[in-house]
Amino acid sequence: MRKTPRQARSRALVEAILEAGARILSVEGWAGFTTNAVAERAGVSIGSLYQYFPDKLALTDAIRQRHLDDCMAVLRLSQDAALSPDAFAAGLARAMISAHLKHPGLHRVLLDEAPASSDYRNPQSVFEQAYLACFEAAVARYRGEANRVAALVLSDAIDGIVHNAARRGMLAEPEVERELVAVVLASLALRTRPSS
Amino acid sequence: MRKTPRQARSRALVEAILEAGARILSVEGWAGFTTNAVAERAGVSIGSLYQYFPDKLALTDAIRQRHLDDCMAVLRLSQDAALSPDAFAAGLARAMISAHLKHPGLHRVLLDEAPASSDYRNPQSVFEQAYLACFEAAVARYRGEANRVAALVLSDAIDGIVHNAARRGMLAEPEVERELVAVVLASLALRTRPSS
Amino acid sequence: MRKTPRQARSRALVEAILEAGARILSVEGWAGFTTNAVAERAGVSIGSLYQYFPDKLALTDAIRQRHLDDCMAVLRLSQDAALSPDAFAAGLARAMISAHLKHPGLHRVLLDEAPASSDYRNPQSVFEQAYLACFEAAVARYRGEANRVAALVLSDAIDGIVHNAARRGMLAEPEVERELVAVVLASLALRTRPSS
Amino acid sequence: MRKTPRQARSRALVEAILEAGARILSVEGWAGFTTNAVAERAGVSIGSLYQYFPDKLALTDAIRQRHLDDCMAVLRLSQDAALSPDAFAAGLARAMISAHLKHPGLHRVLLDEAPASSDYRNPQSVFEQAYLACFEAAVARYRGEANRVAALVLSDAIDGIVHNAARRGMLAEPEVERELVAVVLASLALRTRPSS
DNA sequence: GATGAATGAGACTTCATTCAT
DNA sequence: AATGAATGAAGTCTCATTCAT
């Protein structure tokens, strides 16, 4: 950000911009996400937007950061070493679904369409490290082995299930949640080479 | 298409355009996919492109159609009622991975970013019907029950795994394929409510 | 208009665009009337033009509307029930000529070449209604009969005379004005079937 | 024309092009008049069109020339020194109307929109000389005076009446023809300064 | 001669960004 | 600090014209 908002008014302004941007990205996708549209939706002048974000990329990054923080918060809540596998899978599925219910399209747009300044999806990035750590811990806990790739694949499978359900408007359907739980559970019950 | 290419030269030209478009979509994403860039990469004038495609959307549709046809062809090959679950899962994983190896980013861009004239990802569309039918058949065969949602979730999980692996450049790694096989197999071995 | 200009600068900008557009249409015709040319002639960027006019057609309509308003204003001034036929014809001729002196080619281009969003030249359009009403009133007054077609033909004859004189650069010649007065007067002096 | 067609086939080809061009100009206006459209409508390849016409302007000129020749032919037929004023006016009106019935919009498009290589509407041009000569002769005959401007104004009034009637689709209405006759007759009955 | 695929200059329009007020 | 009018590079698409077959 170009400058840190210190006063209450400034913080509210930045908040309004981020929220307006998230909503536009979610509803209209990357194509409808123009800086002028965001400013207008936020009830702010385009000039003010550029006071706090040097360019469109910085704005996008800020929206993404906020969204990923939300996701991590929700994900961490589902981490509890004392849970049974069933309870863990149920909690994780519930957490992932609820994290996407507010802006169903946002996650996909931010991760698939929107350009990013840093390669935050690289396995070495801060976010991905923290995100994957949760899954690696769960794999270690329930499968009894450290397996980085298995954690990656599990998180990717969940990602695909949730993001496609969101696109189809099926995110809230109990059947989807039930199947998601089943897939997570099955993945965690596996040893690495089940076929041998 | 605006005009059907009849002569050999025309067919080669259309082929060059489609190939150049696929490559650009794969490597540079939707943002780099400009009609002028496609024409230039194809070694063709922009006017020639518009002789065969009435607008950018039609070009996008044509590239997508060709890609989906390839995917369906590969998918159908993996369908064989006589296969054991292990063999089926292995064949399916191999098929999905190989379908994405040529243009790793293409699938994601075409399905997530590129606008389409018809809603081909609607569950009622011709493509999605055919695509899901394969998964429904497999679920019925190996889980012994018809379960539309389970088929949907399985195909979405595979989609997530393959598309994220492609983004990370891990599509060719044997470990990924092994885990993909495991997830497919686990999903097919499930009864609907494994926890009850 | 996309935006209503509120500040003095904006109004001047819109004014400059309309004036530049009118001049280009008048001098170079529809073929030279490109949005970039209008912006450049107005000393304004192309983006500014599009802030106020959503597309080329809207700009054309605005220029036409302004011109037609000018014409109607000038025409209404010549309407005075107390005038003698001679005085009326003289006033009308003077009015029509002066309405075209500023941009001699504009009228023809706007009415014959430039596409319009609505069919303003349809006899039922608001403008044509008002315009023809003046001529119908004059015909009724001086010929003593209501005759819609006669009014139409009179206005068309004047149109032809003025617009061809403009093209020939003869609009300011006294002889043309004299003959125009004569034709108007003769038309108003007629009974419908003068030969029978 | 680039080359003179000598053989029967060539003459038919040129004929087809001119006719197709006239029809397109009449029906779709200058905007729809593209060289490719003309060639296609004529059932001829675009290359063949360019064999006989070096560019679009030459094609336009040829179509115009043919149309003006038709007009002159029809106009000359109405010239007969022995006619009474009434009979002359009736014949002239009939001639002008019938000259425009085949392609009602063509005349206007050719004279107002289509660019021309030479300034054929300049009073000094060959066509205008011949055309105006007819009107000057009539003015001299029936008004008993040589008056170039009166002839010009009369021909322009007729032009306006006919061309606007064509646009309104009223060209065939008897009332229009009757009023046209009346205007012509009144113009020819005038002395130059009727008001003094 | 005839064909029509190919060319590319140029038109319309959008939107990220700046800067005078 | 805030505003929003203004900018102009860049993208999509058309159509007059050429030239290899």
Side-chain angles (χ1 to χ4, degrees):
Chain A
M1 272 202 292
R2 190 172 268 184
K3 38 182 149 178
T4 315
R6 292 182 194 287
Q7 304 179 8
R9 182 154 65 126
S10 307
R11 257 182 283 118
L13 186 151
V14 166
E15 187 54 35
I17 291 172
L18 292 176
E19 181 57 29
R23 172 139 19 197
I24 289 180
L25 278 174
S26 172
V27 175
E28 319 198 30
W30 177 254
F33 182 73
T34 70
T35 52
N36 282 290
V38 171
E40 187 177 9
R41 186 74 67 91
V44 151
S45 81
I46 181 66
S48 292
L49 188 156
Y50 275 89
Q51 290 269 334
Y52 291 101
F53 301 97
D55 57 22
K56 193 180 184 180
L57 192 52
L59 171 59
T60 309
D61 280 338
I63 295 172
R64 179 166 26 231
Q65 195 55 56
R66 219 175 60 141
H67 175 71
L68 294 183
D69 288 349
D70 289 355
C71 285
M72 276 307 300
V74 129
L75 183 58
R76 279 209 194 84
L77 288 181
S78 69
Q79 301 291 326
D80 179 341
L83 291 174
S84 73
D86 281 13
F88 171 76
L92 179 62
R94 168 59 45 100
M96 298 307 295
I97 286 175
S98 70
H100 291 81
L101 274 178
K102 189 178 174 199
H103 295 307
L106 182 59
H107 196 77
R108 189 188 60 72
V109 170
L110 280 174
L111 269 51
D112 282 341
E113 294 191 44
S117 57
S118 65
D119 187 3
Y120 69 98
R121 285 222 96 184
N122 181 292
Q124 272 73 46
S125 76
V126 174
F127 169 73
E128 204 79 327
Q129 289 283 356
Y131 190 76
L132 287 179
C134 291
F135 287 94
E136 289 185 52
V139 165
R141 206 151 59 233
Y142 299 109
R143 280 171 62 163
E145 59 170 351
N147 189 328
R148 187 172 177 70
V149 172
L152 217 60
V153 165
L154 174 56
S155 89
D156 290 346
I158 296 173
D159 181 70
I161 293 167
V162 171
H163 124 203
N164 283 299
R167 185 205 346 257
R168 296 188 171 103
M170 297 171 71
L171 206 49
E173 296 193 11
E175 270 187 295
V176 169
E177 182 168 348
R178 209 183 305 139
E179 283 293 326
L180 175 56
V181 170
V183 167
V184 172
L185 202 52
S187 297
L188 291 179
L190 296 167
R191 288 293 166 277
T192 299
R193 295 167 193 260
S195 59
S196 60
Chain B
M1 272 206 299
R2 188 175 267 183
K3 222 196 274 191
T4 313
R6 291 180 196 289
Q7 305 181 8
R9 181 151 69 123
S10 313
R11 259 181 281 116
L13 184 150
V14 166
E15 188 53 37
I17 291 172
L18 291 175
E19 183 57 28
R23 172 140 19 199
I24 289 180
L25 279 174
S26 172
V27 174
E28 317 195 30
W30 177 253
F33 182 72
T34 72
T35 53
N36 279 297
V38 172
E40 188 175 6
R41 185 74 66 93
V44 149
S45 82
I46 182 63
S48 291
L49 189 157
Y50 278 91
Q51 291 246 336
Y52 294 100
F53 302 96
D55 56 23
K56 192 180 181 177
L57 192 53
L59 171 59
T60 309
D61 281 338
I63 294 172
R64 178 166 25 232
Q65 194 57 56
R66 223 173 57 140
H67 176 69
L68 294 183
D69 287 349
D70 288 356
C71 285
M72 278 306 301
V74 128
L75 183 57
R76 279 211 194 81
L77 288 182
S78 68
Q79 302 291 326
D80 180 340
L83 292 174
S84 72
D86 282 11
F88 170 76
L92 180 61
R94 168 58 45 98
M96 297 307 294
I97 287 175
S98 70
H100 291 80
L101 272 180
K102 190 177 174 199
H103 295 306
L106 183 60
H107 196 76
R108 188 188 60 71
V109 170
L110 281 175
L111 270 52
D112 283 342
E113 295 191 43
S117 57
S118 65
D119 186 3
Y120 68 99
R121 285 222 93 183
N122 180 293
Q124 272 73 46
S125 76
V126 174
F127 169 72
E128 204 79 325
Q129 291 281 358
Y131 190 75
L132 286 178
C134 290
F135 288 93
E136 289 185 52
V139 165
R141 206 150 60 235
Y142 299 109
R143 280 172 60 164
E145 60 170 351
N147 189 328
R148 187 172 179 68
V149 172
L152 217 60
V153 165
L154 174 57
S155 88
D156 290 346
I158 296 173
D159 180 71
I161 294 167
V162 171
H163 121 205
N164 283 300
R167 183 197 355 245
R168 296 188 171 103
M170 298 170 71
L171 206 48
E173 297 192 10
E175 270 188 293
V176 169
E177 181 167 350
R178 209 183 305 136
E179 282 294 324
L180 174 57
V181 170
V183 167
V184 171
L185 201 51
S187 297
L188 290 179
L190 297 166
R191 289 293 167 275
T192 300
R193 297 167 192 259
S195 59
S196 60
Chain C
M1 271 205 300
R2 188 173 266 184
K3 220 196 276 193
T4 314
R6 291 180 195 290
Q7 305 181 7
R9 182 151 67 123
S10 312
R11 258 181 282 116
L13 185 150
V14 167
E15 188 53 36
I17 291 172
L18 292 175
E19 183 57 29
R23 172 140 19 197
I24 288 180
L25 279 174
S26 172
V27 174
E28 316 194 32
W30 177 252
F33 182 73
T34 71
T35 52
N36 280 296
V38 172
E40 189 175 8
R41 185 73 66 93
V44 149
S45 83
I46 183 64
S48 291
L49 189 157
Y50 278 91
Q51 291 246 336
Y52 294 101
F53 302 97
D55 57 22
K56 192 180 182 179
L57 191 54
L59 172 58
T60 311
D61 281 337
I63 295 172
R64 177 164 28 231
Q65 194 56 56
R66 223 173 58 141
H67 176 69
L68 294 182
D69 288 349
D70 288 356
C71 285
M72 278 306 301
V74 128
L75 182 58
R76 280 211 192 82
L77 287 181
S78 70
Q79 302 290 326
D80 180 340
L83 292 174
S84 71
D86 281 13
F88 170 76
L92 179 62
R94 167 58 46 100
M96 297 308 294
I97 286 175
S98 71
H100 291 81
L101 272 179
K102 190 177 174 200
H103 295 305
L106 183 60
H107 195 77
R108 188 188 60 71
V109 170
L110 281 175
L111 271 52
D112 283 341
E113 294 191 44
S117 58
S118 66
D119 187 4
Y120 68 98
R121 286 223 93 183
N122 179 293
Q124 271 73 46
S125 77
V126 174
F127 169 72
E128 204 79 326
Q129 290 281 357
Y131 190 76
L132 287 179
C134 291
F135 287 93
E136 290 184 51
V139 165
R141 206 150 60 233
Y142 300 109
R143 279 171 62 163
E145 58 169 353
N147 189 327
R148 186 169 180 69
V149 172
L152 217 60
V153 165
L154 173 57
S155 89
D156 290 347
I158 296 173
D159 181 72
I161 294 167
V162 170
H163 122 204
N164 282 301
R167 183 197 354 248
R168 297 187 172 104
M170 298 171 70
L171 206 49
E173 297 191 10
E175 269 188 295
V176 169
E177 182 168 349
R178 210 183 305 137
E179 281 295 324
L180 174 56
V181 171
V183 167
V184 172
L185 202 52
S187 297
L188 290 178
L190 296 168
R191 289 292 166 276
T192 299
R193 295 166 192 263
S195 59
S196 61
Chain D
M1 271 204 295
R2 189 172 267 184
K3 35 181 149 178
T4 314
R6 293 182 193 288
Q7 303 179 9
R9 182 154 67 127
S10 308
R11 256 179 284 118
L13 185 151
V14 166
E15 186 54 35
I17 291 171
L18 292 176
E19 182 57 29
R23 171 134 25 190
I24 289 179
L25 278 174
S26 172
V27 174
E28 319 198 30
W30 177 254
F33 181 73
T34 71
T35 52
N36 282 291
V38 171
E40 187 177 9
R41 185 73 67 93
V44 151
S45 81
I46 182 65
S48 293
L49 188 156
Y50 275 88
Q51 291 270 332
Y52 293 101
F53 302 95
D55 57 22
K56 194 180 183 180
L57 192 53
L59 171 59
T60 309
D61 280 338
I63 295 172
R64 178 165 27 232
Q65 194 55 55
R66 218 174 60 140
H67 175 69
L68 294 182
D69 288 349
D70 288 354
C71 285
M72 277 306 301
V74 128
L75 182 59
R76 279 210 193 83
L77 288 182
S78 69
Q79 299 292 327
D80 180 339
L83 291 174
S84 72
D86 282 11
F88 170 76
L92 179 62
R94 168 58 45 99
M96 297 308 294
I97 286 175
S98 70
H100 291 81
L101 274 179
K102 189 180 174 198
H103 295 307
L106 183 60
H107 195 76
R108 189 188 59 73
V109 170
L110 281 173
L111 270 52
D112 282 342
E113 293 191 44
S117 57
S118 64
D119 186 3
Y120 67 99
R121 287 221 93 183
N122 180 293
Q124 272 72 48
S125 76
V126 174
F127 168 72
E128 204 79 325
Q129 291 283 357
Y131 189 75
L132 286 179
C134 290
F135 286 94
E136 290 185 53
V139 165
R141 204 152 61 237
Y142 300 109
R143 278 171 63 161
E145 59 170 351
N147 188 328
R148 185 169 181 69
V149 172
L152 216 59
V153 165
L154 174 57
S155 89
D156 290 346
I158 295 172
D159 180 71
I161 294 167
V162 170
H163 124 202
N164 283 299
R167 185 203 347 254
R168 297 188 170 104
M170 296 170 71
L171 206 49
E173 296 191 13
E175 268 187 295
V176 169
E177 182 167 349
R178 209 183 305 137
E179 282 295 324
L180 175 56
V181 170
V183 168
V184 172
L185 202 52
S187 298
L188 291 179
L190 297 166
R191 288 294 166 274
T192 298
R193 297 168 192 257
S195 60
S196 61

